[in-house]
Amino acid sequence: MRVRERDRSDWGIAALRVLMGVLWLANLTWKLPPDFGRHDPRGLMYSFHQAEQYAIGAPLRRFMSDVVIPHFTLFGWQVFIVEAVAGVLLLLGWHTRIGAIVGLLQAIAITVLTERAPNQWFWGFVLFIAVSLVLVLVPSNRHMSLDRRQGRA
């Protein structure tokens, strides 16, 4: 691949990384602390109840009902921190591979928990996982990144 084509590809991957960072951060708006959308009709508690009914596998559904929902605030903080970390790291291009791995694991977890719930778009989950996987496997910190400024790109 010629240098010019590689540079365009690097810019495209960097833009994809920034977009995923923005998506993770925008996805936090409906589950903000301190209540994490507990009383919102489609807040995090709603999602936890959806997972309780539709998660893949009975043990996971039981885990949701016996552990996660009774300790909603603790798990609300965990969800918030994981998604905020993924979003900030990807947006800033700082420790980008770690941010991509965190995002990939969260996308897989969300998929396993809620993909079978009504009114969920399966391909949205596939896209989140696929883009996250690309960001894990392909360097996305060659442009628009703190990693590059710090000499890690």
Side-chain angles (χ1 to χ4, degrees):
M1 184 179 330
R2 293 183 315 181
V3 173
R4 186 175 194 108
E5 289 174 14
R6 180 176 171 210
D7 195 47
R8 279 199 315 261
S9 296
D10 288 348
W11 276 103
I13 293 293
L16 189 62
R17 183 201 79 233
V18 169
L19 174 66
M20 278 303 288
V22 169
L23 286 173
W24 280 117
L25 293 174
N27 199 38
L28 287 175
T29 59
W30 57 273
K31 49 190 163 193
L32 294 172
D35 73 340
F36 307 100
R38 176 187 300 262
H39 303 293
D40 290 345
R42 305 258 317 165
L44 188 57
M45 182 63 89
Y46 170 81
S47 293
F48 283 178
H49 282 296
Q50 291 286 295
E52 178 185 30
Q53 288 184 287
Y54 299 105
I56 297 171
L60 193 50
R61 291 191 297 273
R62 258 191 317 280
F63 179 75
M64 292 303 296
S65 64
D66 295 346
V67 178
V68 174
I69 291 172
H71 300 97
F72 174 76
T73 302
L74 172 65
F75 284 93
W77 275 110
Q78 288 178 346
V79 168
F80 180 80
I81 289 167
V82 164
E83 293 183 12
V85 165
V88 168
L89 293 181
L90 291 172
L91 180 65
L92 297 178
W94 187 55
H95 299 286
T96 54
R97 196 146 281 146
I98 292 170
I101 291 168
V102 169
L104 175 62
L105 294 175
Q106 184 69 347
I108 291 168
I110 292 168
T111 301
V112 168
L113 290 170
T114 61
E115 177 270 322
R116 295 178 358 169
N119 302 317
Q120 294 293 334
W121 187 51
F122 172 75
W123 294 108
F125 297 112
V126 170
L127 287 170
F128 252 71
I129 291 171
V131 170
S132 297
L133 188 58
V134 166
L135 295 176
V136 168
L137 298 174
V138 178
S140 63
N141 61 352
R142 291 185 179 143
H143 294 290
M144 300 185 294
S145 76
L146 290 177
D147 282 347
R148 181 174 180 175
R149 291 184 60 102
Q150 295 174 343
R152 288 195 305 254

